[in-house]
Structures are given as structure tokens and as C-alpha cells.
Amino acid sequence: MQVMEMLEKLADNPFDHVLRSQLASHYAETGAWEKAHKQITLIKKQRPLSAQELSLFATCLRELGFEDEADLISNSLEVEEELDQDSGEEIEEATVSQIERPSLSIVPSSEEAVVVPIQSEARSRIRFSDIAGLNDVKKTIRMQIIEPFTNPEIFEKFGKKAGGGVLLYGPPGCGKTMIARAIADECHAEFIAIGISDILGIYHGESEQNLNAMFDKARANKPCVMFFDELDALAFARSKSSSVHGRTLVNEFLNQLDGVGRNNDDILFLSASNMPWDVDVAMKRPGRFSRQIFVPPPDLEAKIAILQRKLRNLPVDDFDITALAGKLKLFSGADIDGLIEQAKELVLQYIMETGEERNLTLNDMQLALSGIVPSTEDWLQTAKNLVKYSGSDRSYQAVQLYLKKNGML
Ligand code: ADP
């Protein structure tokens, strides 16, 4: 395919990363290093680079005379290879914050679409009904978030204004991300999920620029839900941080949330954190993530519902799901996913070894169960200490109630 044809196709679909990667390789082959660098940078803004793309990125930087930056990437690739881990692993903040951005223009040229439309992800659509249990959380969210967002006039009549963000917090794997996606669905809004890997850049000022680009993208796609996953990593408490880099990012984040000189109407700010105590306090002030909602581990009823849903379309023996759910003390939804995956592997292993097909049985589930430690345990222990020693601080009252109700306090 000719370069012009590739550029035309990319103008139609800026998310065709395979094609963009090919274009970058083509530019590199012809020695157009600056253009190759620009294409790889555009991919990097949308998703983590593959090992091959990272290697090309390093070559571009080296060819353009930025040896140190190239070495840093090559070294991280070598370490990754050694550890046999996925590509895209974060590079230490302290190291990256010292690196100056090469004086290359990474601003997309006009043929490469400045405002990138959001891809519709029909397959990953999540509704409230897909979330098992958490009925109180769902009720609160409907009254405090969805209704004011979709019917602002009614709420305004009663002196209640829509707006302000929400922080969903709790142990990992208990449905915070699912809830955020379901809120976007209920609000008929676009969903932009933002994680630390989308923001953290290796050059000085790059993280702030990435963050600003995300807000611009949201403003160009209203109504929209911006979901900041792992808010503690994106907005780590400045009082606990020794990194100047982290502080400038938090300052920029606060400016963007406050919408100074910009219009944040019709954008709903949601965030999630497993460690809300590490989130900068300024983030929790009115107008920002002032409402905090605790998302607890699933109760017995929710665990039964999760098991039923996830086993529904599998060849499974008839067994007592309620009794099994009763054994899943402190299991998160994600732990239950893991349990089922392991049990499935046992069945497949049996079938591969014997050539004899059989259903998944209670015995498979029990065997898989013996190797799983519930992942909410550590979190609940930390929360218990926090509640115990936080004195009159009522921030985590919902956690306190949960711990008391479950005999943990
Ligand atoms: P979190 O954001 O709290 O870490 P997620 O929302 O990403 O957790 O949930 C991880 C996975 O666990 C989900 O993809 C889902 O399969 C399962 N899960 C967690 N909670 C629930 C729930 N209440 N109902 C159904 N599935 C759940």
C-alpha cells in the first residue's frame, strides 16, 4: 500500500493501529525517522506499545540523536524480556521525570485527525443488570449521579445541581469499573476510561499534555463519562510525594477538573481507587471527587448470582451453588472469575489427557478453591486499621459499618 493510501485510510479510521504501525515501519525503512517517530507517538497515546513498536520507537530516537532516551527504552525492553512480562510496563517515575522531551513535533499534522472520535465498544457494553448484588450502591448511584445527570431540570427546581465527581472505592475486583461503565450506559454518554498508562509519559511535561488531551477528547465528545481508574496513582497525595513530576500532574488535574476557562458541562467525572487514603485531599473537595462511594465485596446473594451467571453457558453438573457460594468467604467478583477459570482448566486438562469429555463438577470447583486466597483480605485488614486509628474522621464510615456488620470490627 502506498503512503498516501495509508494516510487516507488513517484519516477515516485513526484507531487502525495495525495500519499506523505499518506506516511507521514504512517511514523507518525509508529513513524518514521523524515521521516514523510521530506515528509511533500517536499509537502510544492510544494504547501501550508492543515490544516491536517500542523497539522501533527506540530506533527512531537513536536515529534522531536522542541516545539516552533510546537506551532507556531499550534497557526496559531487555528487562521485560528477562522477566518475560507483557510489554508496556511502567518505567520508574523518578527516572522518567528527569528526561527532557526531544524537540520533535509530536502534534499530529492535519491529515492525521487532531480530535479523535471515540470508538463505540458495543461488545464491552455493561448494564446495571449485569452487576450482581450491590443494590444499595446502585440505588445511591441512581439518585446521586444518574438522575441528576439525565434530568437536571427537575433537580435544579429543588435546589440540587448536577455536577461534581464521584470516587468509587473499595477492594480490588469488586465491580468499581463495571459500575462506571454501567453509569455511562444509563446516562447514554460516551465512556472514556483513563488509566495511569494512558497518562504517564517519559518526557518532562508529557504526562500533563496527555492528561489535557484526554480532557479535550471528552469535551469534544459530550455527553461523556470520564473514568479515572486507580485515582491514587494519577493523583497521589502531594503531601506524601517527593516527586515534583507527580505534583505538577496533580495541579494540572485539579485545573482541568475545575474547568478554568473551559466548559465541563455534560461531563461526568468518575474515578476508582483501591487506596483512597493515598488520593490527594484536594481531589476530594467540592466540585471534584467530593462524593465517595464504598463498593464492598459481594455478599452471599451476589456471589450466588455471579456464579450462576458465569456458569450459565458452560457444560456443568447440577450442584448446590448456594453451598459453594457460602465457602467463598471474602471473595471478590474477580476472584470468582479466577476460580471458575481454574476449574475449567482442570476439566480441559482431564479431557486432553484421557480423550474423554465430561462436565465441570463441584469437585473441580473445590479443587480450584484450595489454591485461591481471597484478594479482599489484605484490603479489609488495612481498612480495619484505618478505621480503628482514624479517630473522629468519618470519611470511611461506610467501611466501618461494613466491617461491623461482618463481625470484623
Ligand atoms: P474493580 O474495578 O473494582 O477492580 P472490576 O469492575 O474490574 O473491579 O471487576 C473485575 C471483574 O470481576 C469483572 O470484570 C467481573 O467479571 C467481576 N465482577 C466483580 N464484581 C462483580 C459483580 N458485582 N457482578 C458481576 N461480576 C463482577
Side-chain angles (χ1 to χ4, degrees), residues 250-274:
V250 176
N251 290 338
E252 190 58 39
F253 201 164
L254 293 172
N255 277 337
Q256 285 285 3
L257 285 174
D258 294 345
V260 183
R262 295 133 174 149
N263 187 349
N264 283 349
D265 287 352
D266 291 327
I267 304 179
L268 188 55
F269 297 115
L270 301 180
S271 61
S273 174
N274 301 339

Side-chain angles (χ1 to χ4, degrees), residues 126 130-134 170-179 227 229 272 274 295 298 302 306 309-310 332-335 337:
I126 289 181
D130 295 323
I131 304 168
L134 298 174
C174 290
K176 298 185 287 299
T177 308
M178 285 188 90
I179 292 173
F227 173 60
D229 200 6
N274 301 339
V295 181
I306 296 175
R309 270 169 219 207
K310 309 246 153 136
S332 67
D335 291 336
D337 284 355

